[in-house]
Structure formats: C-alpha cells, structure tokens
Amino acid sequence: MTVHPSLQPSIDAWTHSIEAISELVKPLVEGEWNRPTDLPGWSVRDVVSHIIGLESEMLGDPRPIHSLPRDLYHVRTDFARRMELQVDVRRHHTGPEMTAELEYMIIRRARSLRNETRDPETVLRTPLGEERTLAYALRQRAFDVWVHEQDLRHALNLPGNLDSPGGQLTRDLLLLALPRVVAKHSGAPAGSAVVFDVSGALEFMRTVRVDAQGNGSIDESVSLGPAVTLSMDWEIFLRLACGRVRPAAVADQVKIDGERELAAAILEHFAITP
C-alpha cells in the first residue's frame, strides 16, 4: 500500500481493471486479437497495445522510435498520432507476445505503485504530454484502463465489471463533466434543470442546474419540473459519454421526457473524451 492513502482508491481501481484485462486476453486465439472495437481503426490487440504503451511510459520507459504508415485513415490529429505510435509498433505481435508483455508490465507497474512515495501533488509529465499532479495522473490511468476494459469486453462479447471500483471512479469523473455539457455546450437556458436518471449495474440520479449567469452545477436532489429528463442504462450512459456510440444508434435505449430539442443538443455533445 502506498504511503499516501488518498492515492489508494485510484491504485485499487487500476489494479482491479488491469488484472481483469489480463484474464480476458490470456485465453484468446489469434483471430480474436484482431476483432474490431468501438475505437476507429483499433482491434483488441491495438487496445491492449495502447494500455501497455501508456503504462510503460508512466514507468519512465522511452517512447519507441517508429515511423507511422501514411495510410492510417483514423489518424488525423497530433494527439491521435501520439496515441498511435505505441499501437502501431505492436501491430504484428502475436497473442503470446502480447500477453507476455502485458503481464511483465503489470508486475513492474504494480511494484512501482506499491513503492510510490511522492506527494500526491507532485507535478509530472503524463504520457499524453500534459503537466499533471500525481493524484490526477493515477486517477486518469484508472479511468482509462477501466474504459478500455469495457471496450475489450464489448468487442469480445464478455460483459462484466460494470460496477467495479473502476466503474465507480469513472462514473464520478464523468458526472463532473455534465454541468459543462449541459450549460455551455448544449445551450440549456438560465434557470433550467436537466435530470439524468441512470439504471443498471450502477444506478444514480443527478440534476444539472443552470444558474442566472449560465453556469452549471450538479447535485443529487430531485428537480420539480425539469426542462429535460434523460433515462438510460449505465452502459449506454458510459458509451455515449466516452464517444463509443452515436446518439442515433442508441435512440431506442434513451428515454426523453421534456424539451426534445434541448435533449438532442445534450446527447449530441454528450461525448466528453477524445
């Protein structure tokens, strides 16, 4: 256990998810590694490569020297190119090579986290090229690994762990973004309220309120007469918020009560991850 208890929830969530991923991919035959995921251009192998690469960079390993092919249609931005490097360098690795590298990375990373002594507010450079605190970086890695666990489960048709520690951490991070989605990006009018009623493995109800200045806030209290109520399953909420599916594709799984134009704007801006 790390000397800073405030870091432990993120470490526990990361550990649970990374070990689940290891168990998921260990028995895969070669063809299953090539199954497409909801991430454009990425297979099961590519998602695992991404995880290995970013966690290795968190350990301080140098980024590989590798030239990307010019015909990768899904790579359109500098951010995408940065993410693709660790993926493309492993594109021809076999299943056993992938699982061996994943297991070795997990051993090294778990040891590093057990021995972590830095203050949570220590600023470091993340694999995304950002200057962030250690606490932020560990929380984001737990979030990223759990969401990718779900990407793998969806691709392999092996659902599970939707209410795991990583799922709960992800829910809390996604909820933090809802006020901006509603108040800034979707143009909800001042004085209005929008309710999110989520069922399934993780059940919760939250109300986003827009004040007179157009700023949003979120709470757990019930709103009387909200402008919009959006009801959906937790997995649908997750896939919309993480940009894994377009609103039109799950329209029959999202119940809308209230102003449909505002609801459509909220769903259109629901994706909060790149």
PDB file of all heavy atoms in Angstrom, residues 41-64:
ATOM      1  N   GLY A  41     -10.392   2.053 -36.163  1.00  0.00           N
ATOM      2  CA  GLY A  41      -9.091   1.554 -36.573  1.00  0.00           C
ATOM      3  C   GLY A  41      -8.390   0.660 -35.580  1.00  0.00           C
ATOM      4  O   GLY A  41      -7.315   0.132 -35.884  1.00  0.00           O
ATOM      5  N   TRP A  42      -8.972   0.473 -34.398  1.00  0.00           N
ATOM      6  CA  TRP A  42      -8.294  -0.298 -33.354  1.00  0.00           C
ATOM      7  C   TRP A  42      -8.973  -1.644 -33.130  1.00  0.00           C
ATOM      8  O   TRP A  42     -10.188  -1.731 -32.949  1.00  0.00           O
ATOM      9  CB  TRP A  42      -8.268   0.480 -32.044  1.00  0.00           C
ATOM     10  CG  TRP A  42      -7.179   1.517 -32.003  1.00  0.00           C
ATOM     11  CD1 TRP A  42      -6.440   1.984 -33.053  1.00  0.00           C
ATOM     12  CD2 TRP A  42      -6.715   2.219 -30.845  1.00  0.00           C
ATOM     13  NE1 TRP A  42      -5.543   2.939 -32.625  1.00  0.00           N
ATOM     14  CE2 TRP A  42      -5.692   3.105 -31.270  1.00  0.00           C
ATOM     15  CE3 TRP A  42      -7.073   2.204 -29.499  1.00  0.00           C
ATOM     16  CZ2 TRP A  42      -5.025   3.947 -30.394  1.00  0.00           C
ATOM     17  CZ3 TRP A  42      -6.408   3.041 -28.623  1.00  0.00           C
ATOM     18  CH2 TRP A  42      -5.382   3.906 -29.056  1.00  0.00           C
ATOM     19  N   SER A  43      -8.153  -2.680 -33.097  1.00  0.00           N
ATOM     20  CA  SER A  43      -8.586  -4.032 -32.779  1.00  0.00           C
ATOM     21  C   SER A  43      -8.380  -4.291 -31.285  1.00  0.00           C
ATOM     22  O   SER A  43      -7.882  -3.420 -30.544  1.00  0.00           O
ATOM     23  CB  SER A  43      -7.751  -5.040 -33.576  1.00  0.00           C
ATOM     24  OG  SER A  43      -6.385  -4.955 -33.168  1.00  0.00           O
ATOM     25  N   VAL A  44      -8.739  -5.488 -30.851  1.00  0.00           N
ATOM     26  CA  VAL A  44      -8.456  -5.892 -29.466  1.00  0.00           C
ATOM     27  C   VAL A  44      -6.962  -5.773 -29.194  1.00  0.00           C
ATOM     28  O   VAL A  44      -6.542  -5.241 -28.158  1.00  0.00           O
ATOM     29  CB  VAL A  44      -8.950  -7.340 -29.220  1.00  0.00           C
ATOM     30  CG1 VAL A  44      -8.368  -7.913 -27.935  1.00  0.00           C
ATOM     31  CG2 VAL A  44     -10.474  -7.389 -29.189  1.00  0.00           C
ATOM     32  N   ARG A  45      -6.128  -6.247 -30.136  1.00  0.00           N
ATOM     33  CA  ARG A  45      -4.673  -6.135 -29.971  1.00  0.00           C
ATOM     34  C   ARG A  45      -4.252  -4.682 -29.793  1.00  0.00           C
ATOM     35  O   ARG A  45      -3.399  -4.351 -28.965  1.00  0.00           O
ATOM     36  CB  ARG A  45      -3.965  -6.741 -31.180  1.00  0.00           C
ATOM     37  CG  ARG A  45      -2.442  -6.572 -31.145  1.00  0.00           C
ATOM     38  CD  ARG A  45      -1.771  -7.030 -32.434  1.00  0.00           C
ATOM     39  NE  ARG A  45      -1.718  -8.480 -32.493  1.00  0.00           N
ATOM     40  CZ  ARG A  45      -2.541  -9.244 -33.195  1.00  0.00           C
ATOM     41  NH1 ARG A  45      -3.527  -8.681 -33.910  1.00  0.00           N
ATOM     42  NH2 ARG A  45      -2.427 -10.546 -33.194  1.00  0.00           N
ATOM     43  N   ASP A  46      -4.848  -3.794 -30.586  1.00  0.00           N
ATOM     44  CA  ASP A  46      -4.459  -2.378 -30.545  1.00  0.00           C
ATOM     45  C   ASP A  46      -4.798  -1.736 -29.207  1.00  0.00           C
ATOM     46  O   ASP A  46      -4.024  -0.918 -28.689  1.00  0.00           O
ATOM     47  CB  ASP A  46      -5.139  -1.624 -31.679  1.00  0.00           C
ATOM     48  CG  ASP A  46      -4.692  -2.112 -33.057  1.00  0.00           C
ATOM     49  OD1 ASP A  46      -3.582  -2.668 -33.160  1.00  0.00           O
ATOM     50  OD2 ASP A  46      -5.464  -1.934 -34.013  1.00  0.00           O
ATOM     51  N   VAL A  47      -5.957  -2.071 -28.654  1.00  0.00           N
ATOM     52  CA  VAL A  47      -6.339  -1.516 -27.354  1.00  0.00           C
ATOM     53  C   VAL A  47      -5.365  -1.988 -26.274  1.00  0.00           C
ATOM     54  O   VAL A  47      -4.907  -1.201 -25.429  1.00  0.00           O
ATOM     55  CB  VAL A  47      -7.788  -1.905 -26.994  1.00  0.00           C
ATOM     56  CG1 VAL A  47      -8.103  -1.526 -25.546  1.00  0.00           C
ATOM     57  CG2 VAL A  47      -8.770  -1.218 -27.933  1.00  0.00           C
ATOM     58  N   VAL A  48      -5.005  -3.263 -26.303  1.00  0.00           N
ATOM     59  CA  VAL A  48      -4.042  -3.789 -25.316  1.00  0.00           C
ATOM     60  C   VAL A  48      -2.681  -3.134 -25.530  1.00  0.00           C
ATOM     61  O   VAL A  48      -1.988  -2.788 -24.555  1.00  0.00           O
ATOM     62  CB  VAL A  48      -3.955  -5.321 -25.407  1.00  0.00           C
ATOM     63  CG1 VAL A  48      -2.889  -5.855 -24.446  1.00  0.00           C
ATOM     64  CG2 VAL A  48      -5.314  -5.952 -25.083  1.00  0.00           C
ATOM     65  N   SER A  49      -2.284  -2.920 -26.781  1.00  0.00           N
ATOM     66  CA  SER A  49      -1.016  -2.238 -27.072  1.00  0.00           C
ATOM     67  C   SER A  49      -1.010  -0.828 -26.500  1.00  0.00           C
ATOM     68  O   SER A  49      -0.006  -0.372 -25.940  1.00  0.00           O
ATOM     69  CB  SER A  49      -0.797  -2.171 -28.594  1.00  0.00           C
ATOM     70  OG  SER A  49      -0.631  -3.450 -29.141  1.00  0.00           O
ATOM     71  N   HIS A  50      -2.115  -0.140 -26.658  1.00  0.00           N
ATOM     72  CA  HIS A  50      -2.262   1.219 -26.116  1.00  0.00           C
ATOM     73  C   HIS A  50      -2.063   1.226 -24.604  1.00  0.00           C
ATOM     74  O   HIS A  50      -1.337   2.070 -24.062  1.00  0.00           O
ATOM     75  CB  HIS A  50      -3.647   1.743 -26.487  1.00  0.00           C
ATOM     76  CG  HIS A  50      -4.067   2.990 -25.781  1.00  0.00           C
ATOM     77  ND1 HIS A  50      -3.555   4.227 -26.076  1.00  0.00           N
ATOM     78  CD2 HIS A  50      -4.979   3.187 -24.777  1.00  0.00           C
ATOM     79  CE1 HIS A  50      -4.114   5.142 -25.296  1.00  0.00           C
ATOM     80  NE2 HIS A  50      -4.981   4.537 -24.502  1.00  0.00           N
ATOM     81  N   ILE A  51      -2.687   0.273 -23.927  1.00  0.00           N
ATOM     82  CA  ILE A  51      -2.565   0.193 -22.469  1.00  0.00           C
ATOM     83  C   ILE A  51      -1.122  -0.097 -22.075  1.00  0.00           C
ATOM     84  O   ILE A  51      -0.555   0.574 -21.194  1.00  0.00           O
ATOM     85  CB  ILE A  51      -3.509  -0.891 -21.913  1.00  0.00           C
ATOM     86  CG1 ILE A  51      -4.967  -0.488 -22.132  1.00  0.00           C
ATOM     87  CG2 ILE A  51      -3.247  -1.135 -20.421  1.00  0.00           C
ATOM     88  CD1 ILE A  51      -5.959  -1.616 -21.906  1.00  0.00           C
ATOM     89  N   ILE A  52      -0.512  -1.083 -22.713  1.00  0.00           N
ATOM     90  CA  ILE A  52       0.879  -1.424 -22.405  1.00  0.00           C
ATOM     91  C   ILE A  52       1.775  -0.208 -22.608  1.00  0.00           C
ATOM     92  O   ILE A  52       2.620   0.124 -21.767  1.00  0.00           O
ATOM     93  CB  ILE A  52       1.369  -2.586 -23.288  1.00  0.00           C
ATOM     94  CG1 ILE A  52       0.648  -3.886 -22.938  1.00  0.00           C
ATOM     95  CG2 ILE A  52       2.882  -2.772 -23.149  1.00  0.00           C
ATOM     96  CD1 ILE A  52       0.924  -5.026 -23.907  1.00  0.00           C
ATOM     97  N   GLY A  53       1.581   0.475 -23.739  1.00  0.00           N
ATOM     98  CA  GLY A  53       2.437   1.603 -24.067  1.00  0.00           C
ATOM     99  C   GLY A  53       2.347   2.744 -23.073  1.00  0.00           C
ATOM    100  O   GLY A  53       3.377   3.256 -22.599  1.00  0.00           O
ATOM    101  N   LEU A  54       1.129   3.131 -22.710  1.00  0.00           N
ATOM    102  CA  LEU A  54       0.971   4.261 -21.789  1.00  0.00           C
ATOM    103  C   LEU A  54       1.444   3.913 -20.386  1.00  0.00           C
ATOM    104  O   LEU A  54       2.066   4.748 -19.712  1.00  0.00           O
ATOM    105  CB  LEU A  54      -0.480   4.749 -21.772  1.00  0.00           C
ATOM    106  CG  LEU A  54      -0.748   5.944 -22.709  1.00  0.00           C
ATOM    107  CD1 LEU A  54      -0.471   5.571 -24.160  1.00  0.00           C
ATOM    108  CD2 LEU A  54      -2.164   6.453 -22.556  1.00  0.00           C
ATOM    109  N   GLU A  55       1.178   2.689 -19.937  1.00  0.00           N
ATOM    110  CA  GLU A  55       1.648   2.305 -18.609  1.00  0.00           C
ATOM    111  C   GLU A  55       3.174   2.211 -18.582  1.00  0.00           C
ATOM    112  O   GLU A  55       3.803   2.549 -17.576  1.00  0.00           O
ATOM    113  CB  GLU A  55       1.021   0.981 -18.184  1.00  0.00           C
ATOM    114  CG  GLU A  55      -0.490   1.025 -17.988  1.00  0.00           C
ATOM    115  CD  GLU A  55      -0.947   2.004 -16.918  1.00  0.00           C
ATOM    116  OE1 GLU A  55      -0.145   2.334 -16.017  1.00  0.00           O
ATOM    117  OE2 GLU A  55      -2.103   2.455 -16.983  1.00  0.00           O
ATOM    118  N   SER A  56       3.769   1.774 -19.689  1.00  0.00           N
ATOM    119  CA  SER A  56       5.233   1.724 -19.757  1.00  0.00           C
ATOM    120  C   SER A  56       5.822   3.129 -19.688  1.00  0.00           C
ATOM    121  O   SER A  56       6.857   3.354 -19.045  1.00  0.00           O
ATOM    122  CB  SER A  56       5.672   1.025 -21.051  1.00  0.00           C
ATOM    123  OG  SER A  56       5.237  -0.317 -21.073  1.00  0.00           O
ATOM    124  N   GLU A  57       5.157   4.081 -20.342  1.00  0.00           N
ATOM    125  CA  GLU A  57       5.625   5.462 -20.271  1.00  0.00           C
ATOM    126  C   GLU A  57       5.480   6.022 -18.857  1.00  0.00           C
ATOM    127  O   GLU A  57       6.305   6.820 -18.403  1.00  0.00           O
ATOM    128  CB  GLU A  57       4.869   6.327 -21.273  1.00  0.00           C
ATOM    129  CG  GLU A  57       5.253   6.033 -22.725  1.00  0.00           C
ATOM    130  CD  GLU A  57       4.600   6.978 -23.706  1.00  0.00           C
ATOM    131  OE1 GLU A  57       4.540   8.191 -23.420  1.00  0.00           O
ATOM    132  OE2 GLU A  57       4.146   6.495 -24.763  1.00  0.00           O
ATOM    133  N   MET A  58       4.424   5.607 -18.141  1.00  0.00           N
ATOM    134  CA  MET A  58       4.286   6.019 -16.741  1.00  0.00           C
ATOM    135  C   MET A  58       5.442   5.489 -15.902  1.00  0.00           C
ATOM    136  O   MET A  58       5.818   6.096 -14.888  1.00  0.00           O
ATOM    137  CB  MET A  58       2.958   5.523 -16.170  1.00  0.00           C
ATOM    138  CG  MET A  58       1.730   6.263 -16.673  1.00  0.00           C
ATOM    139  SD  MET A  58       1.629   7.985 -16.123  1.00  0.00           S
ATOM    140  CE  MET A  58       1.289   7.779 -14.359  1.00  0.00           C
ATOM    141  N   LEU A  59       6.017   4.363 -16.314  1.00  0.00           N
ATOM    142  CA  LEU A  59       7.179   3.804 -15.616  1.00  0.00           C
ATOM    143  C   LEU A  59       8.474   4.509 -16.001  1.00  0.00           C
ATOM    144  O   LEU A  59       9.524   4.252 -15.418  1.00  0.00           O
ATOM    145  CB  LEU A  59       7.304   2.312 -15.934  1.00  0.00           C
ATOM    146  CG  LEU A  59       6.332   1.388 -15.209  1.00  0.00           C
ATOM    147  CD1 LEU A  59       6.275   0.024 -15.896  1.00  0.00           C
ATOM    148  CD2 LEU A  59       6.713   1.238 -13.744  1.00  0.00           C
ATOM    149  N   GLY A  60       8.397   5.371 -17.004  1.00  0.00           N
ATOM    150  CA  GLY A  60       9.590   6.088 -17.437  1.00  0.00           C
ATOM    151  C   GLY A  60      10.284   5.479 -18.633  1.00  0.00           C
ATOM    152  O   GLY A  60      11.359   5.937 -19.037  1.00  0.00           O
ATOM    153  N   ASP A  61       9.701   4.432 -19.232  1.00  0.00           N
ATOM    154  CA  ASP A  61      10.296   3.836 -20.425  1.00  0.00           C
ATOM    155  C   ASP A  61      10.254   4.832 -21.583  1.00  0.00           C
ATOM    156  O   ASP A  61       9.274   5.572 -21.727  1.00  0.00           O
ATOM    157  CB  ASP A  61       9.538   2.572 -20.837  1.00  0.00           C
ATOM    158  CG  ASP A  61       9.663   1.454 -19.810  1.00  0.00           C
ATOM    159  OD1 ASP A  61      10.453   1.618 -18.856  1.00  0.00           O
ATOM    160  OD2 ASP A  61       8.981   0.431 -19.965  1.00  0.00           O
ATOM    161  N   PRO A  62      11.274   4.867 -22.422  1.00  0.00           N
ATOM    162  CA  PRO A  62      11.262   5.789 -23.570  1.00  0.00           C
ATOM    163  C   PRO A  62      10.225   5.376 -24.600  1.00  0.00           C
ATOM    164  O   PRO A  62       9.916   4.187 -24.749  1.00  0.00           O
ATOM    165  CB  PRO A  62      12.679   5.663 -24.138  1.00  0.00           C
ATOM    166  CG  PRO A  62      13.145   4.307 -23.708  1.00  0.00           C
ATOM    167  CD  PRO A  62      12.511   4.066 -22.360  1.00  0.00           C
ATOM    168  N   ARG A  63       9.678   6.358 -25.303  1.00  0.00           N
ATOM    169  CA  ARG A  63       8.759   6.046 -26.391  1.00  0.00           C
ATOM    170  C   ARG A  63       9.530   5.375 -27.515  1.00  0.00           C
ATOM    171  O   ARG A  63      10.683   5.720 -27.781  1.00  0.00           O
ATOM    172  CB  ARG A  63       8.096   7.331 -26.899  1.00  0.00           C
ATOM    173  CG  ARG A  63       7.056   7.878 -25.934  1.00  0.00           C
ATOM    174  CD  ARG A  63       6.579   9.277 -26.313  1.00  0.00           C
ATOM    175  NE  ARG A  63       5.992   9.341 -27.637  1.00  0.00           N
ATOM    176  CZ  ARG A  63       4.762   8.909 -27.936  1.00  0.00           C
ATOM    177  NH1 ARG A  63       4.006   8.373 -26.996  1.00  0.00           N
ATOM    178  NH2 ARG A  63       4.283   9.020 -29.163  1.00  0.00           N
ATOM    179  N   PRO A  64       8.908   4.390 -28.176  1.00  0.00           N
ATOM    180  CA  PRO A  64       9.619   3.684 -29.252  1.00  0.00           C
ATOM    181  C   PRO A  64       9.944   4.599 -30.420  1.00  0.00           C
ATOM    182  O   PRO A  64       9.214   5.560 -30.698  1.00  0.00           O
ATOM    183  CB  PRO A  64       8.641   2.587 -29.660  1.00  0.00           C
ATOM    184  CG  PRO A  64       7.299   3.062 -29.204  1.00  0.00           C
ATOM    185  CD  PRO A  64       7.542   3.881 -27.976  1.00  0.00           C
TER     186      PRO A  64
END
